[in-house]
Amino acid sequence: MTHTSAPLPTDDALVDELRRVRALADPVPEAWLRAALASLGWQDIDAEPAALAYDSMSGRDPRLGGGSTGPQVVRELRYAAGAAGLSLEVDVNSDRLRVVGDISPAAAVEVVAVWPEGQVATTADDRGAFRLDDLPRRPVCFVVAGESPVKTGWILS
Amino acid sequence: MDAGAVADLVTRSREGDERAWADLVHRYLGMVHAICRGYRLSGADAADVNQVVWLRLVEHLHRIRTPDAVGGWIAATARNECLRVLRASDRSLAVDERGGLDGPDTGIDAGLLVYERDRALLGAFARLDHRCQRVLRLLMAEPRPSDVEIAAALDLPVGAVRSAQARCLDELRRGLA
């Protein structure tokens, strides 16, 4: 092969070659650009951001859920905004999410799950419990209505 | 693009300036892609990490105290989300312990390469360990991230970035020889 007898490329020349090959054979998908550009439109969810207080998936020992078929993970998240709290259990099952939540102090208020392509609403019962059984496995954000609405950050499970 | 220009884009994006946001996206989209690919994420997993990074940045815009350091924030967020996706799917061990001789799985489509030299380069890249692939992926991003951003993406001290790059380029060169 001829290239073995050529002088070895310098770092800069090698990086240039790598960049050219990457651009040809692994371009950034157009859909990534569209998704990134459209994200600015989500600046306007009118609710107070709640702080993430606990995430069972942020440690090195995620709790693995039960179930004998395939990996299934229950992720626990807790949010706080002033005296208000929201806890979530997100159950990932292939490409769908099941979410069981609790609002404190308990209130029968509307909870909206929002993802980039849509949203679904439910109402918590008078103990503050709610459940959303069939969300798409996409980045999702929860908005708790009420006198002073609260929103979680974007969650990817 | 210098740090002041990036800070200006952050400030204007915060005010809803779509043009500034587009410039910010174009500045860092390639880096986010390089980070996802460096962790072997592809398809819907990688696309979701990309999406959540930008959504988080939008919600974070009003809280950024050092707008000129936003690139490091984006890099660290992308890295953390990639690692979490891998943990959730129980693939993290496979990524770090396998040592990386699984050639075709680089996320790069050799079928699109015409020249033998390019294929040889890709072959040598695929034989590198995963860590070096991650290091070189960031050098391949367009535009090229700063050392501070690369350090955040790799969770390395900034002072260790250049030596890691030199070592991985050496390995690549040996693989080509």
Side-chain angles (χ1 to χ4, degrees):
Chain A
M1 292 199 283
T2 52
H3 68 256
T4 53
S5 58
L8 290 174
T10 62
D11 279 5
D12 285 348
L14 204 48
V15 169
D16 285 348
E17 277 193 273
L18 281 171
R19 292 166 72 87
R20 191 175 45 75
V21 166
R22 203 274 315 152
L24 273 175
D26 191 18
V28 180
E30 273 297 310
W32 286 39
L33 175 61
R34 286 196 301 274
L37 292 175
S39 296
L40 188 63
W42 291 98
Q43 204 167 198
D44 304 324
I45 300 180
D46 192 15
E48 185 190 347
L52 179 64
Y54 172 74
D55 179 354
S56 64
M57 283 297 289
S58 70
R60 294 201 166 271
D61 185 24
R63 283 227 241 155
L64 296 177
S68 54
T69 52
Q72 190 184 41
V73 178
V74 177
R75 182 179 186 188
E76 293 178 35
L77 297 152
R78 283 199 290 276
Y79 291 88
L86 170 66
S87 60
L88 299 169
E89 280 185 26
V90 183
D91 188 354
V92 180
N93 210 335
S94 67
D95 63 341
R96 309 302 290 180
L97 303 177
R98 189 167 58 205
V99 177
V100 178
D102 259 303
I103 299 162
S104 62
V109 293
E110 185 177 65
V111 180
V112 185
V114 181
W115 61 96
E117 297 80 22
Q119 63 177 58
V120 62
T122 187
T123 304
D125 63 24
D126 51 16
R127 290 165 306 169
F130 65 92
R131 181 185 184 106
L132 289 159
D133 267 330
D134 191 31
L135 298 177
R137 190 176 181 182
R138 294 278 292 134
V140 63
C141 153
F142 294 86
V143 183
V144 179
E147 278 178 31
S148 42
V150 166
K151 63 180 176 183
T152 68
W154 290 95
I155 303 162
L156 177 58
S157 290
Chain B
M1 186 180 294
D2 65 23
V6 169
D8 179 56
L9 293 181
V10 170
T11 308
R12 285 162 49 209
S13 296
R14 195 182 279 169
E15 290 153 9
D17 182 335
E18 290 182 12
R19 183 65 187 273
W21 176 251
D23 287 349
L24 201 57
V25 166
H26 283 288
R27 174 68 183 81
Y28 291 114
L29 186 67
M31 180 180 77
V32 172
H33 184 250
I35 292 168
C36 291
R37 287 291 205 255
Y39 281 107
R40 306 297 181 89
L41 293 187
S42 59
D45 281 345
D48 280 350
V49 169
N50 173 65
Q51 173 91 74
V52 86
V53 164
W54 299 106
L55 289 168
R56 290 257 176 83
L57 178 58
V58 166
E59 103 195 339
H60 185 68
L61 281 173
H62 291 272
R63 283 175 275 158
I64 296 180
R65 292 202 193 114
T66 48
D68 53 338
V70 71
W73 185 92
I74 294 171
T77 301
R79 172 176 182 276
N80 290 337
E81 287 301 320
C82 288
L83 287 173
R84 221 183 32 63
V85 167
L86 290 170
R87 268 204 302 274
S89 60
D90 211 17
R91 276 181 286 161
S92 53
L93 292 180
V95 167
D96 281 328
E97 290 180 3
R98 199 168 40 194
L101 278 174
D102 48 347
D105 183 24
T106 56
I108 299 177
D109 183 358
L112 294 172
L113 299 177
V114 176
Y115 297 108
E116 188 188 337
R117 166 69 184 179
D118 291 351
R119 289 169 177 274
L121 188 62
L122 181 57
F125 179 78
R127 287 189 296 276
L128 294 174
D129 62 45
H130 291 155
R131 181 156 187 82
C132 270
Q133 288 191 17
R134 279 201 286 278
V135 169
L136 296 185
R137 274 286 188 173
L138 285 153
L139 279 181
M140 291 147 77
E142 183 62 50
R144 184 160 158 176
S146 71
D147 283 4
V148 172
E149 289 156 1
I150 291 175
L154 297 172
D155 199 22
L156 280 179
V158 179
V161 166
R162 292 290 165 120
S163 60
Q165 288 169 349
R167 195 178 61 246
C168 293
L169 286 170
D170 266 348
E171 275 190 39
L172 182 67
R173 204 160 14 230
R174 275 199 298 277
L176 275 170

